Amino acid sequence: MDKQKEINPKLIGFIIKQERLKKNISASKLALGIKKSRQYISDIEKGMKSVSHATITEIFEFLNIKFEYQECTEAQDLFQKFIDYYYLRDIPNAINRLATIISNDVYKYSYDYPLIILCDFIFQELTHSNSNLSGDLFEFLNEIQCCIFLYFKGFSLLNKKQYEEALQSLRDAKKYEVHIPKFKGLIYYAEALGYDRLSDYLKSLEYNKKAKHEFLEYHNVERSLTSSLHIANIYSKIGRLQESIELYSDIYYEAKRFQIYRIIELIHYNLAIAFLYNQQFQDAINEIHKLEYSRNMLADYFFVLTWAYYELGEYIESKKNLEKLIQCNTIELYYQHIITLQSLRLQKDFNDGVYEQYLENIVSYVLKNELLPEQIFILKHTIEYFEQKKDYESAYKYSNKLNVLLNQRI
């Protein structure tokens, strides 16, 4: 612990308000408890009133807080270790450092209270819990903490689908990044995610490449490969499938060399999808099997196998995997359409009229709601179906739709 410090009225007011709200105590009840007016409590919480040590002690006792008027260098050191672990993508150790900080009442009820609030928010974000953050916190943080605050606030907003607000928070974070230069790559990568979700793929590519450069600058192989993976995903999204396949292969060999298994699993999945959409059906089957029945991607796993086996004429295998896909109870409409489409195709009493009506519906759906690879995939299938039936007028109609899409590619 550092030596005792002077009372900071604004910070003390902030602490009192946060603890009062956490304990569900109204300002009126607190005022009554210490025999003061409601306005008096309001002024204290806003840091507008100079208050005696005795009054503050009385308030803290009412709130059941034992406060130390000191800074905790131990908490600050642990937070720096959290930053180091997080940058290296050692998330378990990063979370462990946060848990150590927020579980210690000696750290919490000290002048490092704002840091503990920040740590608690980040902990909730990293463990996918319901996170909440006080808007007043920012003014009590130092510049390094401000950068971290804005970075994780940006991620929180991304998760809430508030993409423009997220990007603004990340831009604000870069004003402080000079104090922790390694975070520049992390901020660029988060911005790339934001632009991706806004379907601004050119911007997303730009910021992914910036992120990759920064990660390589500091020899962070795993994060640089993560950026490369995102770049390959974007190539796939905009229909540049062959480029994405080549990049996935390059990333795979690097990930294997450094034994980064998280990346390797993602590569198998993404390559399988890219092969499927590129009509390399046996390659798609071979690649998806390398996932070893990944529990996180079951619907994707059975989707690839259902479609690829059908295209290879192995209808029994296709039907087996379709039944497993149905059991996944996926809520994604795209997969629900695929399930219906494949169910119709695998029926013995195949009804052309019903199938063609459904095919028209799914084309309409994917053109409005899905990404370019899914759109191209369904349109190619539709064209092939009508060509096999020698219904060249319908095939021509869908070929025109496909040409419009391909001309819009980045």
Side-chain angles (χ1 to χ4, degrees), residues 137-317:
L137 178 64
F138 193 73
E139 64 178 294
F140 301 108
L141 303 175
N142 64 35
E143 292 195 332
I144 289 175
Q145 293 163 3
C146 284
C147 179
I148 305 291
F149 169 97
L150 290 164
Y151 168 76
F152 279 100
K153 180 184 174 186
F155 254 110
S156 179
L157 290 166
L158 282 177
N159 291 332
K160 293 172 183 173
K161 300 184 179 180
Q162 296 172 245
Y163 304 130
E164 296 290 357
E165 295 91 334
L167 288 168
Q168 185 56 56
S169 182
L170 294 165
R171 283 191 286 269
D172 291 342
K174 285 190 285 193
K175 297 172 186 174
Y176 300 93
E177 176 278 332
V178 65
H179 300 281
I180 40 173
K182 286 182 180 179
F183 252 71
K184 185 181 284 186
L186 293 173
I187 295 167
Y188 281 148
Y189 182 69
E191 287 178 295
L193 291 177
Y195 285 118
D196 185 5
R197 291 170 192 178
L198 286 169
S199 301
D200 188 342
Y201 300 124
L202 280 178
K203 276 280 189 186
S204 187
L205 281 172
E206 176 190 342
Y207 279 91
N208 262 302
K209 288 173 182 177
K210 287 182 178 181
K212 182 179 178 180
H213 172 78
E214 292 297 327
F215 293 140
L216 288 173
E217 184 82 10
Y218 291 96
H219 311 292
N220 192 324
V221 175
E222 183 168 358
R223 287 202 180 272
S224 72
L225 288 177
T226 300
S227 289
S228 295
L229 183 61
H230 196 187
I231 290 168
N233 289 346
I234 292 169
Y235 284 154
S236 180
K237 286 178 182 180
I238 61 179
R240 290 159 61 174
L241 288 169
Q242 195 54 47
E243 287 173 84
S244 72
I245 289 169
E246 290 168 7
L247 185 50
Y248 285 137
S249 299
D250 291 343
I251 299 165
Y252 172 77
Y253 290 115
E254 282 296 293
K256 193 172 181 181
R257 184 158 71 96
F258 289 97
Q259 298 183 312
I260 306 172
Y261 298 108
R262 179 186 69 88
I263 299 285
I264 290 170
E265 183 176 75
L266 289 170
I267 290 293
H268 290 320
Y269 161 68
N270 285 294
L271 255 179
I273 293 290
F275 282 139
L276 182 71
Y277 288 160
N278 212 36
Q279 299 184 306
Q280 295 171 242
F281 300 116
Q282 189 58 56
D283 289 334
I285 292 169
N286 295 342
E287 203 63 40
I288 205 73
H289 275 315
K290 293 175 186 175
L291 277 175
E292 296 180 354
Y293 208 71
S294 172
R295 62 188 179 280
N296 298 323
M297 301 171 183
L298 282 181
D300 306 285
Y301 183 91
F302 294 125
F303 158 60
V304 170
L305 293 175
T306 297
W307 199 286
Y309 277 125
Y310 184 87
E311 294 295 343
L312 292 171
E314 298 184 37
Y315 304 127
I316 294 173
E317 281 299 315

Side-chain angles (χ1 to χ4, degrees), residues 5 73-74 77 106-107 123 131 151 154 210 217 309 402:
K5 296 180 67 180
T73 55
E74 299 100 320
D77 291 344
V106 176
Y107 299 161
F123 180 85
S131 57
Y151 168 76
K210 287 182 178 181
E217 184 82 10
Y309 277 125
L402 180 59

Side-chain angles (χ1 to χ4, degrees), residues 6 32 46 138 179 201 229 317 349 380 406:
E6 295 293 320
L32 188 65
K46 290 175 183 174
F138 193 73
H179 300 281
Y201 300 124
L229 183 61
E317 281 299 315
D349 54 343
K380 280 185 175 179
L406 295 175

Side-chain angles (χ1 to χ4, degrees), residues 284-407:
I285 292 169
N286 295 342
E287 203 63 40
I288 205 73
H289 275 315
K290 293 175 186 175
L291 277 175
E292 296 180 354
Y293 208 71
S294 172
R295 62 188 179 280
N296 298 323
M297 301 171 183
L298 282 181
D300 306 285
Y301 183 91
F302 294 125
F303 158 60
V304 170
L305 293 175
T306 297
W307 199 286
Y309 277 125
Y310 184 87
E311 294 295 343
L312 292 171
E314 298 184 37
Y315 304 127
I316 294 173
E317 281 299 315
S318 180
K319 191 168 184 179
K320 275 188 207 172
N321 285 285
L322 176 63
E323 287 166 357
K324 291 174 182 175
L325 176 58
I326 292 168
Q327 289 168 15
C328 291
N329 294 321
T330 176
I331 60 171
E332 290 181 55
L333 282 175
Y334 177 62
Y335 280 172
Q336 289 177 25
H337 281 298
I338 294 298
I339 287 167
T340 306
L341 196 65
Q342 290 288 56
S343 296
L344 288 169
R345 294 170 85 194
L346 289 164
Q347 286 175 15
K348 289 180 181 176
D349 54 343
F350 188 84
N351 184 313
D352 280 345
V354 173
Y355 186 74
E356 287 164 23
Q357 180 59 54
Y358 195 80
L359 205 50
E360 187 175 328
N361 292 342
I362 192 174
V363 168
S364 176
Y365 172 80
V366 296
L367 290 178
K368 289 178 184 175
N369 299 285
E370 298 301 319
L371 294 170
L372 188 58
E374 287 86 354
Q375 294 171 344
I376 293 172
F377 183 57
I378 293 297
L379 281 169
K380 280 185 175 179
H381 165 74
T382 307
I383 294 162
E384 286 170 8
Y385 169 79
F386 283 114
E387 284 178 343
Q388 286 169 5
K389 278 197 67 186
K390 298 185 179 179
D391 181 350
Y392 298 116
E393 185 179 342
S394 295
Y396 179 72
K397 179 178 80 171
Y398 288 106
S399 293
N400 282 341
K401 289 181 185 288
L402 180 59
N403 286 333
V404 169
L405 276 182
L406 295 175
N407 288 333

